[in-house]
Amino acid sequence: MDGSIRVSAKTVDDAITEALIQLGVTSDRLEYEVIEKGSSGFLGIGMKQAVIEARRKPEPVAEVKEETIPVEEVKPSVVKEQVSEPVQEKQEEKAEEEPARKKATELAEVSDEAIKAVEAFLNDTLKAMDMDVEIVSEVDSEGALSVEMKGSNMGILIGKRGQTLDALQYLANRVANKHQDGYVRVKLDTENYRARREETLRHLAKNIAFKVKRTRRAVSLEPMNPYERRIIHAALQSDPHVTTHSEGEEPYRKVVVTLKR
């Protein structure tokens, strides 16, 4: 494909996300061809990365014309969305964040029993998955139990957009809080996925904001969990030209980026 780039990643979805960032487009403006689907191999042996070739779709004529339309001439329905929805979204996102803030200030001291219970749970679960994983646990500066998992072929534990890792983390939290008084938080990570995913989302947010300012059209991102939506909101909250809000019901709730009036 002319003007294309070739991107490789652990999965096709990760390769598409990377292509969106590199090209500065949203998923509806991306054309791609899967060169290699990739495979996890057996216990990490023979693992192949997914490879795609991608490029921007030609800009439609209607969209080019829209770039010259002043903000005041945007359709009333769009203006209403820009004015009312962000206010509602700020309230919703604040409500989502409040429990996390409250828990962060009320974390109990992590007991040895809770640590052992979490490690036993993870070891048993990973053993059932035929995975050889090293588990390193420590109480971090926030008072949470931080667990790093190391091994080969850890993409299996991450799953699509981190869904497997999130599910495992949820269960680990349930286990920990059954073995002590007071609330404790467990954070699971592997191959620095959390930090890498956050950085990817921040880059994506900036590219989406650029798209919205250029086309003067709202852009909807793919469904994300509350944690990832907060990253998008935070990344753009200081942008003077765009605003964000969420639409839909869980687990299909998504962030929408719109132009400020």
Side-chain angles (χ1 to χ4, degrees):
M1 292 185 286
D2 295 337
S4 64
I5 61 172
R6 182 163 290 201
V7 181
S8 61
K10 288 186 177 180
T11 66
V12 171
D13 283 333
D14 288 343
I16 292 173
T17 299
E18 182 60 27
L20 292 174
I21 294 172
Q22 289 188 30
L23 294 174
V25 299
T26 53
S27 56
D28 62 319
R29 305 306 309 155
L30 184 74
E31 290 181 340
Y32 68 90
E33 177 183 355
V34 178
I35 307 300
E36 175 63 55
K37 291 184 177 180
S39 61
S40 59
F42 179 72
L43 298 180
I45 300 175
M47 181 178 65
K48 294 183 179 179
Q49 286 200 315
V51 181
I52 67 169
E53 193 162 0
R55 70 170 182 177
R56 298 183 183 88
K57 285 183 180 179
E59 294 287 346
V61 176
E63 192 168 272
V64 173
K65 291 181 179 179
E66 194 70 15
E67 292 178 14
T68 61
I69 298 177
V71 177
E72 290 77 7
E73 295 180 22
V74 179
K75 293 181 180 180
S77 60
V78 177
V79 174
K80 180 180 180 182
E81 178 182 49
Q82 292 174 346
V83 175
S84 61
E85 291 293 345
V87 175
Q88 179 182 2
E89 177 55 29
K90 288 178 181 178
Q91 295 174 344
E92 292 173 353
E93 294 303 323
K94 183 177 180 181
E96 284 181 348
E97 293 174 1
E98 283 303 326
R101 288 201 195 98
K102 185 176 181 181
K103 289 176 180 177
T105 58
E106 297 178 357
L107 289 181
E109 183 177 351
V110 182
S111 67
D112 291 339
E113 182 182 0
I115 296 175
K116 291 178 181 178
V118 169
E119 291 179 342
F121 162 72
L122 292 174
N123 280 319
D124 291 343
T125 301
L126 297 172
K127 184 178 180 180
M129 297 172 66
D130 291 325
M131 297 188 69
D132 184 15
V133 179
E134 177 188 357
I135 295 175
V136 179
S137 304
E138 66 174 3
V139 178
D140 65 18
S141 59
E142 297 178 350
L145 176 58
S146 178
V147 181
E148 175 71 18
M149 297 176 289
K150 302 178 181 180
S152 59
N153 201 22
M154 299 303 288
I156 293 177
L157 287 185
I158 296 173
K160 184 178 180 180
R161 297 189 183 90
Q163 291 177 349
T164 303
L165 188 62
D166 287 342
L168 198 59
Q169 179 173 277
Y170 170 78
L171 294 174
N173 272 280
R174 294 293 299 271
V175 170
N177 283 282
K178 282 184 178 180
H179 287 80
Q180 71 166 68
D181 296 327
Y183 176 80
V184 295
R185 186 167 71 249
V186 180
K187 299 188 292 187
L188 300 188
D189 200 5
T190 182
E191 297 184 346
N192 202 32
Y193 172 77
R194 301 293 187 190
R196 290 190 293 110
R197 177 64 173 166
E198 181 172 340
E199 185 66 17
T200 296
L201 290 173
R202 290 185 186 281
H203 280 297
L204 180 61
K206 299 297 183 183
N207 284 323
I208 296 299
F210 175 79
K211 174 79 171 181
V212 170
K213 285 180 276 190
R214 182 170 61 83
T215 65
R216 298 184 179 275
R217 288 177 177 268
V219 174
S220 298
L221 280 69
E222 296 179 345
M224 297 177 183
N225 60 41
Y227 169 74
E228 294 190 337
R229 293 200 304 271
R230 285 196 293 271
I231 292 174
I232 300 295
H233 291 304
L236 298 181
Q237 67 180 358
S238 61
D239 192 308
H241 304 294
V242 300
T243 186
T244 61
H245 68 275
S246 295
E247 292 181 354
E249 301 296 331
E250 301 290 3
Y252 306 107
R253 194 163 173 78
K254 57 189 177 183
V255 175
V256 180
V257 183
T258 59
L259 193 68
K260 285 184 178 178
R261 185 177 180 182

